[in-house]
Amino acid sequence: MGIEEEEVVELRDGYVFPFALWGMFVVVVLIYFGTRVSAPFGRHIRRGWGPSMSVREAWIVMQSPALFVLALVYHHGQHHLATVPHVLLRLFQLHYINRCLIYPFRIRSEGKAMPILVCVFFCLFNVLNAYLQARWISHYGTYPTSWLRSPQFVLGVALFFLGLGINIWADSVLLSLRADKHDRSYRIPRGFLFEYVSCPNYLGEIMEWFGWALMTSSFAGLGFFLAVTAILVPRAAVHHQWYLKKFSNYPASRKALIPFLY
Ligand SMILES: NC(=O)c1ccc[n+]([C@@H]2O[C@H](COP(=O)([O-])OP(=O)(O)OC[C@H]3O[C@@H](n4cnc5c(N)ncnc54)[C@H](OP(=O)(O)O)[C@@H]3O)[C@@H](O)[C@H]2O)c1
């Protein structure tokens, strides 16, 4: 690509990035009001959302932009060879390797479906988010190597790993509640954080992206954290209500998402 062509691409991207960033905050508001209706998958699946596809394929399709779009956009950034952007890239990929390539094969939901509409929504959301995060960390953001010793980074990375650990552990507990892939029943999860909240997997996920927002100290990171929160806080509330209705012996002291508080 010649220098002039590169300048044109840069100029166009100069409009695309702020537009995408504003788009993310608009999406946060839309999700916040939209999730008053619980997303129709898993235990909340219901008729009226059009054709559906297998849950496993849906998870792979909707999460894959977070790996592929991220890698593509990242490598076009002016700082793509720098140390800190590289560390940030690997952390983001760590989460999505699990979510896109490992988690879908652990699901015990044989024959269960997800509306294609939900899959398309999350897929588009992940395209937007992968572009924003990758373009910020490898191109618009400036992170000297000393950033790795900054309080924002150290605290952010600690929260990220703590959240990732909680998320994977809690998902594993939930997935192990079913005897095999044909079992579709629900049971009361127990042990450690499940004694305090119904959805520690969501709590872990929210902690992770709060850590990411700190680590990157960016509007892109903040936008993603707010979007995850707007999706998962109301979902935790409806999961919790569902448990209370379904099981008469559901522990009364358990909260939805935040121990002792909510
Ligand atoms: N970043 C984001 O915006 C975002 C958005 C959504 C989800 N996620 C993450 O994706 C993961 C899965 O989300 P999800 O909403 O599907 O979580 P979920 O409702 O907690 O379900 C997780 C898995 O465990 C099964 N399961 C849950 N509770 C169960 C119970 N009491 N007994 C038996 N099986 C049970 C579910 O089966 P069924 O599917 O059959 O109910 C599903 O396969 C979570 O780690 C979440 O944090 C992230």
Side-chain angles (χ1 to χ4, degrees):
M1 200 187 285
I3 291 176
E4 277 181 18
E5 264 178 86
E6 270 182 26
E7 278 173 2
V8 172
V9 171
E10 175 72 23
L11 204 66
R12 274 197 215 124
D13 189 70
Y15 289 106
V16 173
F17 185 80
F19 188 75
L21 193 54
W22 277 109
M24 175 58 97
F25 285 94
V26 170
V27 168
V28 169
V29 174
L30 292 178
I31 293 172
Y32 179 76
F33 289 107
T35 46
R36 281 156 198 275
V37 181
S38 57
F41 67 94
R43 73 198 68 186
H44 308 295
I45 187 95
R46 49 197 183 273
R47 289 174 192 280
W49 287 82
S52 51
M53 62 195 288
S54 117
V55 171
R56 180 166 297 124
E57 283 158 19
W59 274 102
I60 296 169
V61 170
M62 66 190 184
Q63 303 295 327
S64 56
L67 287 178
F68 302 115
V69 175
L70 183 90
L72 192 73
V73 175
Y74 178 89
H75 285 101
H76 280 85
Q78 58 177 336
H79 306 305
H80 76 279
L81 292 175
T83 306
V84 179
H86 208 80
V87 170
L88 293 170
L89 171 78
R90 294 294 178 224
L91 291 173
F92 198 90
Q93 285 175 328
L94 189 63
H95 173 90
Y96 279 101
I97 285 172
N98 172 54
R99 182 65 67 235
C100 178
L101 303 178
I102 300 174
Y103 176 77
F105 295 97
R106 302 179 65 210
I107 291 172
R108 291 181 174 173
S109 301
E110 199 67 19
K112 273 199 152 182
M114 183 184 289
I116 291 175
L117 213 57
V118 173
C119 180
V120 169
F121 167 79
F122 277 111
C123 194
L124 292 177
F125 173 79
N126 278 319
V127 170
L128 172 71
N129 188 49
Y131 164 79
L132 269 180
Q133 307 307 322
R135 199 63 181 149
W136 176 260
I137 62 173
S138 83
H139 193 76
Y140 290 114
T142 309
Y143 299 103
T145 311
S146 59
W147 183 256
L148 296 177
R149 293 188 299 274
S150 67
Q152 305 92 301
F153 184 85
V154 174
L155 184 61
V157 88
L159 275 172
F160 182 87
F161 276 111
L162 185 61
L164 182 67
I166 291 174
N167 178 259
I168 293 176
W169 164 80
D171 275 347
S172 300
V173 170
L174 293 171
L175 295 174
S176 68
L177 290 174
R178 290 184 178 149
D180 56 45
K181 62 182 183 176
H182 302 291
D183 182 0
R184 288 181 173 205
S185 60
Y186 289 93
R187 298 181 176 84
I188 300 177
R190 298 203 185 266
F192 184 40
L193 279 174
F194 280 105
E195 298 307 324
Y196 301 96
V197 291
S198 294
C199 304
N201 51 344
Y202 296 169
L203 176 65
E205 179 110 18
I206 291 170
M207 283 170 69
E208 262 184 279
W209 300 118
F210 182 58
W212 175 261
L214 275 180
M215 262 188 276
T216 59
S217 293
S218 64
F219 282 110
L222 176 68
F224 182 33
F225 162 67
L226 292 178
V228 171
T229 306
I231 294 169
L232 295 182
V233 172
R235 195 163 173 80
V238 288
H239 267 31
H240 186 64
Q241 288 308 317
W242 180 93
Y243 274 123
L244 290 170
K245 263 193 210 147
K246 169 111 180 145
F247 300 104
S248 56
N249 59 339
Y250 197 71
S253 62
R254 217 178 266 192
K255 298 286 182 188
L257 185 71
I258 304 169
F260 312 111
L261 293 177
Y262 176 80

